[in-house]
Amino acid sequence: MPDFQQKATALLRRFYGYNTFRPLQLDIIATAACERRDCVVLMPTGGGKSICYQIPALLADRGVTIVVSPLIALMKDQVTALTANGIPAAAVNSMQSEEENRVILEQLYSGRVKILYISPERLLIEIDRWSSDLPVALFAIDEAHCISHWGHDFRPGYTQLSRIKALFPSVPVMALTATADRLTREDISHQLRLSDPRLFIGSFDRPNLSLRVITDPGKTRRINHICTLIDRYPSDSGIVYCLSRKMAEEMDRQLSAKGYRSTVYHAGLSVSERNIAQDSFINGDVQVVCATVAFGMGIDKSNIRWVVHNNMPRNIESYYQEIGRAGRDGSKAETVLFYSYGDIAMLQNFVDESGQKALNAEKLNRMKEYAEASLCRRRILLSYFNETMDHDCGNCDVCLNPPEHIDGTILVQKALSAIIRINGSAGIHMLIDILRGAGRQDLIQKGYHLIKTYGAGRDLSFAEWNTYISQMIQLGLIDIAYNESNHLKVTPYGSSILSSRSPVRLARFVPFEKRKTGRAKTVEENARTLNPAERLLESLKDVRLKLARKEQVPPYIIFTDKALLEMVRTEPVNIEEFARVEGVGERKTVRYWKPFVTAIRRHKGITEPLGSGLSHEETLLLLNSGYDIPAIAAAKNIKTSTVYNHIASLISSDRLTDFSAVITRDQYLRVMQTATAHPETLYERLTPEIPDGIIRIALAISDQLLRKKANE
Ligand code: ADP
Ligand code: ZN
């Protein structure tokens, strides 16, 4: 095991630039790669599932790892990301030409492709052809909950994946998903015919996501809040989830009208419109996508800094998956849920029309309880996923703003008696207007101004009443009749409280402006207060953007925000320091160190130019991490003869003392023999059998050995 652990960790460092595995990752990798046993992996979005099958793919000497994924639109992105890290990957799907697909499928046999992404439909076509002779190291089934009718995202294409086990009984299968309750989990193993699979359940805690719920925010406050978020992260992006297409379009219109770069995404758009929206989001051309739930499945965009739910999601699973798209790089990200009673009515309709009504009603109810809670929200979420947390999180609105309690007995009496006097014939807005003695025309027409409690709550603002009545709903004193235009009714429990005049505690209202979770800074304020570290971060982002444009890839493919933050923290001023930064793998070190290190040196006021000897350093670094000479030439985009020259001079300056990777013992001995016997015609005699670069290296080695002897 330690040997394996060392090997796996070296690959993690080399290809991804990470130093340690996250919890479970190593166990999962060992199960697939060493035990070759099936497993089911349950981890939240952003938990690091991909590495669980990618490292086994790299560990395997032979064979390709096949990744089955329904997310065709994202395959390209994944392949680009892998390739950028120097991992040979490809995809086969309906978005590429048949010619491209055919070339890739043929290459599989050469062993050049280590990881292949394929849609389930396409896999089922190809798999019969493969079964006899294609060496497969591992099958990874991503988004595996799609196989189950119990899951929320059933895909018919998935149900026939049991063929994998039938045709490749000895190849391990790894099923991965971010959302699966017990039923779905069992269904996954059963449908895939996994044999005695090991189950891994990762922690669902994502401490870097702040959680916040704003109850009944009203239209202006919604928009203002979203604008604040966009302004707070001007060079990053966010998602606004809406319940309907119409709402998504409306939100997009409003944000665009305010001058923000916004776009819309929903199932009503054509495939090409959706692709354009998704691409411009991934590439950072837009700051915000107003989307229905159809957006974002599997998106690995690491710099999503915020997610707003403009409407309440149908269940906690969807909510958790959607907020989980923010902050996947592990840096701080904000999530906000706008909760209004109006949404409940709409969601109730969905539930009523759904296949599994009782189940979905219960799920909706749990979501509602979450939104209305006055306990630490993370504790509620984690307990939903059967994980216990023994402390408050300190990063949700409830924790940051612990409710102070007041004696709400009188308020409850006023509100409940008003409801009773109007026979439960009004919703929350009308009720508040009655309590505050408003002169609304429809109020007067209905004669509500004649009841005894009319104006009895004048001393409180609308917002205060709104908060307190919401709490009465949470406490179960008042019920909302969703089937009667959301009119408020007093529950039997409410009646008993009212008649017994029992004391009721309510959480004190805190005006929005005073809440500690706080007001966001505007762009101007941000600019004024930019400290040196922030300025450096901005200039590194500039460097990244320029490279991304040049290479036509999304910025996060170059480096994630988290990696840039690490650069800011460690301020590497040469290639060796740069190579050690967390999140900077080998391939990217060589490709990108110069522009980033240059920016950092400028920031630190180092004027001394980056010397030319540095290209040798790169070569040394690559040699030490196991690259052979052709690979170094390819990575650096230089001729092999130049690499030989570097190596020879590294040997001459005693910086390279282990030659096993550059020359074989036989080669060395032949050069030495010939050099002794025929020193004048050395090169003519040996080339092209032994390249002249190797001859130079052999001579340099011999010099080095002589020098060492002389010094002894
Ligand atoms: P998932 O597929 O579970 O949603 P990903 O595999 O996309 O999550 O991982 C989310 C992010 O976390 C990626 O940016 C990935 O590079 C990063 N990550 C994964 N494993 C590690 C690790 N061991 N150390 C640091 N970052 C990691
Ligand atoms: Zn909390």
Side-chain angles (χ1 to χ4, degrees):
M1 185 72 182
D3 184 34
F4 156 79
Q5 183 169 345
Q6 223 170 32
K7 239 166 128 181
T9 311
L11 291 172
L12 183 72
R13 174 70 240 175
R14 172 168 173 199
F15 286 102
Y16 302 87
Y18 300 138
N19 294 317
T20 48
F21 283 104
R22 289 190 181 154
L24 295 188
Q25 282 179 331
L26 198 61
D27 279 346
I28 297 167
I29 294 164
T31 307
C34 305
E35 289 178 51
R36 295 187 58 77
R37 180 171 159 189
D38 294 342
C39 50
V40 177
V41 175
L42 218 88
M43 267 190 202
T45 308
K49 287 187 287 299
S50 321
I51 277 177
C52 297
Y53 58 80
Q54 289 169 358
I55 297 271
L58 294 169
L59 280 164
D61 300 328
R62 223 167 81 80
V64 56
T65 289
I66 310 269
V67 186
V68 182
S69 165
L71 309 168
I72 297 175
L74 296 165
M75 286 183 185
K76 195 173 123 228
D77 199 48
Q78 275 150 339
V79 171
T80 312
L82 285 167
T83 315
N85 280 331
I87 301 169
V92 164
N93 59 49
S94 54
M95 282 172 73
Q96 293 166 187
S97 75
E98 261 322 291
E99 175 62 20
E100 278 175 275
N101 284 337
R102 206 180 45 74
V103 170
I104 290 164
L105 288 165
E106 274 165 16
Q107 276 182 356
L108 289 184
Y109 292 87
S110 72
R112 239 180 305 162
V113 176
K114 280 258 163 210
I115 302 180
L116 179 79
Y117 285 84
I118 190 166
S119 64
E121 293 77 15
R122 185 67 189 235
L123 173 90
L124 292 167
I125 296 171
E126 300 298 335
I127 196 165
D128 287 310
R129 284 179 224 164
W130 291 342
S131 58
S132 51
D133 51 354
L134 181 68
V136 180
L138 171 74
F139 283 99
I141 317 295
D142 207 4
E143 311 290 344
H145 58 278
C146 293
I147 205 168
S148 170
H149 289 276
W150 297 108
H152 54 87
D153 224 351
F154 174 63
R155 307 272 171 124
Y158 264 63
T159 51
Q160 287 168 49
L161 293 181
S162 60
R163 289 185 60 72
I164 293 176
K165 270 287 161 193
L167 294 169
F168 289 87
S170 61
V171 177
V173 173
M174 181 187 292
L176 307 107
T177 172
T179 55
D181 46 49
R182 191 180 49 79
L183 282 179
T184 312
R185 226 146 62 204
E186 285 166 8
D187 220 17
I188 290 171
S189 310
H190 171 71
Q191 300 241 28
L192 288 171
R193 308 283 186 274
L194 301 186
S195 71
D196 185 25
R198 237 183 111 179
L199 175 65
F200 294 94
I201 304 185
S203 169
F204 274 69
D205 193 10
R206 296 276 309 278
N208 62 318
L209 298 183
S210 73
L211 305 170
R212 176 162 184 191
V213 178
I214 300 181
T215 303
D216 239 352
K219 211 168 154 184
T220 328
R221 198 164 145 209
R222 281 171 199 248
I223 283 287
N224 288 345
H225 199 94
I226 294 169
C227 295
T228 307
L229 285 168
I230 304 177
D231 291 342
R232 189 164 359 196
Y233 304 102
S235 52
D236 296 315
S237 49
I239 308 175
V240 181
Y241 282 109
C242 300
L243 202 52
S244 69
R245 295 171 193 185
K246 235 180 81 196
M247 287 169 167
E249 276 164 3
E250 167 70 14
M251 183 58 77
D252 172 49
R253 210 183 43 68
Q254 289 183 47
L255 291 172
S256 300
K258 284 186 179 279
Y260 291 105
R261 284 178 284 123
S262 163
T263 190
V264 64
Y265 185 103
H266 56 65
L269 302 175
S270 72
V271 173
S272 71
E273 285 171 314
R274 269 186 281 167
N275 286 341
I276 291 171
Q278 184 154 307
D279 282 351
S280 49
F281 182 67
I282 288 178
N283 293 325
D285 298 335
V286 298
Q287 298 168 294
V288 47
V289 175
C290 304
T292 57
V293 286
F295 181 74
M297 203 191 176
I299 277 205
D300 181 18
K301 182 172 161 60
S302 58
N303 67 333
I304 300 176
R305 291 269 70 88
W306 55 270
V307 166
V308 167
H309 280 88
N310 192 38
N311 303 101
M312 196 168 79
R314 292 162 207 212
N315 52 48
I316 291 187
E317 285 95 335
S318 314
Y319 170 67
Y320 202 70
Q321 191 163 38
E322 284 153 17
I323 61 172
R325 292 188 180 123
R328 282 171 69 132
D329 54 7
S331 310
K332 166 172 119 46
E334 298 185 49
T335 78
V336 181
L337 165 62
F338 294 145
Y339 172 49
S340 81
Y341 298 129
D343 292 347
I344 302 286
M346 237 170 113
L347 288 163
Q348 201 69 49
N349 286 337
F350 285 128
V351 167
D352 291 344
E353 286 159 17
S354 72
Q356 288 165 305
K357 199 169 148 182
L359 180 72
N360 290 331
E362 179 50 29
K363 288 193 168 184
L364 175 57
N365 207 29
R366 297 291 298 272
M367 185 67 226
K368 197 164 145 268
E369 281 166 14
Y370 168 81
E372 293 173 355
S374 47
L375 297 171
C376 169
R377 296 200 196 274
R378 204 171 312 269
R379 291 179 83 155
I380 303 176
L381 278 183
L382 292 182
S383 80
Y384 183 85
F385 294 108
N386 300 313
E387 216 178 301
T388 44
M389 184 167 158
D390 60 5
H391 57 279
D392 288 350
C393 77
N395 194 19
C396 73
D397 54 345
V398 180
C399 282
L400 290 171
N401 227 346
E404 188 192 325
H405 288 101
I406 56 163
D407 179 358
T409 315
I410 305 284
L411 298 181
V412 168
Q413 284 169 4
K414 285 178 183 168
L416 266 52
S417 72
I419 296 173
I420 290 169
R421 281 169 207 276
I422 60 169
N423 277 324
S425 60
I428 187 163
H429 285 201
M430 177 64 91
L431 178 68
I432 295 173
D433 282 343
I434 296 171
L435 288 165
R436 300 189 66 239
R440 260 166 79 168
Q441 197 182 2
D442 51 347
L443 186 158
I444 310 284
Q445 267 166 6
K446 291 193 168 128
Y448 293 159
H449 62 302
L450 302 173
I451 66 169
K452 197 173 148 219
T453 27
Y454 178 73
R458 256 182 238 285
D459 50 331
L460 298 189
S461 68
F462 188 94
E464 283 170 288
W465 270 118
N466 201 12
T467 305
Y468 293 136
I469 293 173
S470 302
Q471 290 183 42
M472 295 176 206
I473 296 168
Q474 287 170 39
L475 289 171
L477 302 168
I478 301 174
D479 197 16
I480 308 172
Y482 295 114
N483 52 353
E484 275 181 53
S485 324
N486 297 345
H487 288 170
L488 302 183
K489 312 281 178 184
V490 175
T491 62
Y493 173 59
S495 313
S496 74
I497 294 286
L498 191 60
S499 55
S500 63
R501 297 182 173 266
S502 315
V504 180
R505 263 165 33 113
L506 296 176
R508 182 190 294 283
F509 170 80
V510 183
F512 179 59
E513 308 74 47
K514 294 235 176 94
R515 296 191 189 173
K516 277 181 247 158
T517 40
R519 200 179 61 89
K521 285 185 192 155
T522 63
V523 181
E524 291 74 36
E525 280 173 313
N526 269 330
R528 263 206 309 280
T529 57
L530 229 47
N531 62 35
E534 288 166 335
R535 272 204 308 276
L536 177 56
L537 182 64
E538 287 308 310
S539 63
L540 296 183
K541 281 186 178 172
D542 264 1
V543 171
R544 176 175 67 176
L545 191 63
K546 289 205 185 89
L547 289 168
R549 295 233 164 97
K550 198 167 105 209
E551 300 186 12
Q552 303 194 330
V553 295
Y556 63 84
I557 295 280
I558 310 274
F559 283 121
T560 62
D561 283 9
K562 181 106 186 221
L564 295 189
L565 281 169
E566 278 296 301
M567 290 176 206
V568 170
R569 197 176 64 78
T570 55
E571 300 192 334
V573 293
N574 57 42
I575 184 170
E576 274 158 330
E577 289 173 10
F578 189 75
R580 281 199 293 269
V581 173
E582 174 96 12
V584 178
E586 185 174 276
R587 163 70 65 102
K588 290 182 181 173
T589 301
V590 177
R591 276 177 98 116
Y592 304 130
W593 73 276
K594 262 188 208 136
F596 287 99
V597 165
T598 305
I600 293 166
R601 289 167 75 99
R602 199 182 312 124
H603 174 81
K604 295 184 73 160
I606 303 177
T607 47
E608 190 192 325
L610 285 172
S612 59
L614 288 160
S615 189
H616 293 70
E617 299 294 335
E618 284 178 357
T619 301
L620 182 61
L621 194 89
L622 290 176
L623 267 179
N624 287 340
S625 34
Y627 271 44
D628 62 12
I629 289 163
I632 295 174
K636 298 182 57 167
N637 200 14
I638 55 178
K639 291 200 217 101
T640 40
S641 58
T642 314
V643 182
Y644 286 132
N645 288 340
H646 287 170
I647 293 174
S649 89
L650 286 166
I651 294 170
S652 300
S653 57
D654 288 341
R655 278 183 295 170
L656 185 66
T657 49
D658 174 5
F659 320 117
S660 53
V662 292
I663 186 169
T664 64
R665 196 179 156 70
D666 281 353
Q667 282 175 325
Y668 179 68
L669 292 178
R670 279 212 49 204
V671 176
M672 286 301 107
Q673 277 160 7
T674 320
T676 321
H678 314 278
E680 274 84 51
T681 50
L682 171 66
Y683 285 86
E684 288 87 334
R685 281 171 187 270
L686 291 178
T687 50
E689 191 198 338
I690 297 180
D692 41 332
I694 294 279
I695 301 174
R696 279 199 302 279
I697 287 174
L699 296 175
I701 294 173
S702 148
D703 278 350
Q704 191 190 76
L705 296 178
L706 285 176
R707 272 199 310 280
K708 277 198 182 146
K709 270 233 174 73
N711 286 339
E712 267 165 22

